[in-house]
Amino acid sequence: MTVRLPNSTAPLKIGTRGSPLALAQAYETRARLGVAFNLPEDAFEIVIIKVTGDAIQDHPLKDIGGKGLFTREIEEDLLSGKIDIAVHSMKDMPTIQPEGLILDTYLPREDVRDAFISPTLTGITGLAQGAVVGTSSLRRRAQLLHKRPDLQVVEFRGNVQTRLKKLADGVAECTFLACAGLNRLAMDEVPATPVATDDMLPAVAQGAIGIERRLDDSNTAALLAAIHDTETGQRLAAERRFLLTLDGSCETPIAGLATLDGSVLHLAGEVLRPDGSDALSAKRTGPIEDGAEMGEDLAKELLKRAGPSFFDWH
């Protein structure tokens, strides 16, 4: 098919949240499309959409509706035609898209690791007994308390800049951010120490940018195909099937990471009680093309080992 290219009078409208990181991801998407088709910036329009998840900063996500709070308004505008594509942090994305939408384009994945943020320390081993740690992530909270049940973990929501200000104000002694976000914002000045994935398994799809479109928009599909990163898609197929099978939500601390070694995919998964009192983990290795099935199989193993009482907080 002949691809109809956007232009200054009929730009491709890119929907995004308004945080600095979300905008950086939208700008990266625009830049990659511009290079792929030799298009100027005015062939694209960045459309900032206010989402409920950004408006409510004083409650944990699990208490106010979960991951969908970062996507609902954007997806409504995508379905109505107000925007042509939506750019998302994949770790914020529910595993099932609304009818009429599809998420099948991924940009090259950034550093997947968590970063320990402290002006004086480089890891949790240096924290004093009973130290206060700030995080908005149920996964990080559970992982921290599993290793250090003496820690006090307080809610730390907001974008990168908001969390850093809370740290500077003394709300907590340290916090955690994704290395990917710090890298995309070029925030080299942040006192960050990357945490090995063996020590803190990251959130499913952490570090990946996904681009959502309307299912029936074949022209946009052709545009996006030019910037899709196959390896990221292969890794996320395994991780997101793992999450889907576990029925992952913001109420369940789940971690997962797929890595590639030639034609072989390695998948690690973990599920924890929210209070960190118990954690179960397992791994799978197999051909890349079996990644989704490996994710499902790994999740089923953990569900079987956990038993119904493991999830009794629901």
Side-chain angles (χ1 to χ4, degrees), residues 110-244:
E110 248 287 0
D111 191 333
V112 301
R113 294 174 296 177
D114 288 304
F116 176 86
I117 311 297
S118 168
T120 59
L121 302 171
T122 58
I124 64 170
T125 56
L127 291 169
Q129 191 82 4
V132 178
V133 179
T135 180
S136 62
S137 164
L138 193 64
R139 169 190 61 87
R140 289 175 181 145
R141 174 190 292 266
Q143 289 172 326
L144 286 168
L145 291 175
H146 185 66
K147 292 179 180 292
R148 290 280 306 270
D150 62 285
L151 297 176
Q152 298 181 55
V153 184
V154 298
E155 186 66 22
F156 232 54
R157 286 211 48 227
N159 60 34
V160 173
Q161 290 75 11
T162 299
R163 298 187 204 191
L164 291 173
K165 184 178 185 304
K166 289 181 179 180
L167 191 62
D169 291 343
V171 177
E173 294 182 42
C174 68
T175 188
F176 289 83
L177 295 169
C179 286
L182 295 174
N183 291 346
R184 289 193 173 110
L185 291 170
M187 299 185 74
D188 298 332
E189 74 282 4
V190 175
T193 304
V195 183
T197 57
D198 287 342
D199 293 329
M200 182 175 270
L201 197 64
V204 165
Q206 185 158 301
I209 297 172
I211 305 172
E212 194 175 23
R213 62 175 173 85
R214 288 183 293 278
L215 186 60
D216 61 359
D217 189 348
S218 58
N219 192 76
T220 296
L223 289 172
L224 294 178
I227 62 169
H228 173 64
D229 185 71
T230 300
E231 288 193 1
T232 299
Q234 291 168 333
R235 295 169 67 185
L236 264 56
E239 292 179 28
R240 282 174 59 80
R241 179 69 71 83
F242 170 71
L243 186 65
L244 174 64

Side-chain angles (χ1 to χ4, degrees), residues 15-24 47-51 54 74 159:
T16 178
R17 294 160 60 192
S19 72
L21 178 55
L23 287 171
V47 180
I48 297 174
I49 300 167
K50 293 182 179 180
V51 299
D54 289 332
I74 295 175
N159 60 34

Side-chain angles (χ1 to χ4, degrees), residues 293-314:
E293 290 75 14
M294 289 164 55
E296 182 173 342
D297 184 63
L298 180 59
K300 287 179 176 177
E301 178 194 327
L302 292 181
L303 287 169
K304 184 177 180 179
R305 286 170 54 192
S309 63
F310 192 92
F311 300 94
D312 58 9
W313 64 82
H314 282 305

Side-chain angles (χ1 to χ4, degrees), residues 22-62:
L23 287 171
Q25 295 176 162
Y27 296 150
E28 180 178 341
T29 302
R30 178 182 65 186
R32 288 181 180 276
L33 283 168
V35 169
F37 294 98
N38 194 28
L39 295 170
E41 283 191 359
D42 64 4
F44 308 92
E45 179 183 349
I46 304 294
V47 180
I48 297 174
I49 300 167
K50 293 182 179 180
V51 299
T52 305
D54 289 332
I56 303 173
Q57 296 291 328
D58 56 352
H59 290 83
L61 285 179
K62 67 183 182 62

Side-chain angles (χ1 to χ4, degrees), residues 237-307:
E239 292 179 28
R240 282 174 59 80
R241 179 69 71 83
F242 170 71
L243 186 65
L244 174 64
T245 307
L246 283 171
D247 191 27
S249 68
C250 286
E251 296 181 26
T252 310
I254 295 172
L257 177 64
T259 56
L260 300 182
D261 181 11
S263 61
V264 176
L265 184 142
H266 303 276
L267 178 64
E270 181 181 39
V271 61
L272 307 96
R273 287 184 182 271
D275 63 2
S277 60
D278 199 4
L280 298 172
S281 62
K283 296 181 178 180
R284 289 289 185 279
T285 297
I288 289 175
E289 58 269 23
D290 295 342
E293 290 75 14
M294 289 164 55
E296 182 173 342
D297 184 63
L298 180 59
K300 287 179 176 177
E301 178 194 327
L302 292 181
L303 287 169
K304 184 177 180 179
R305 286 170 54 192

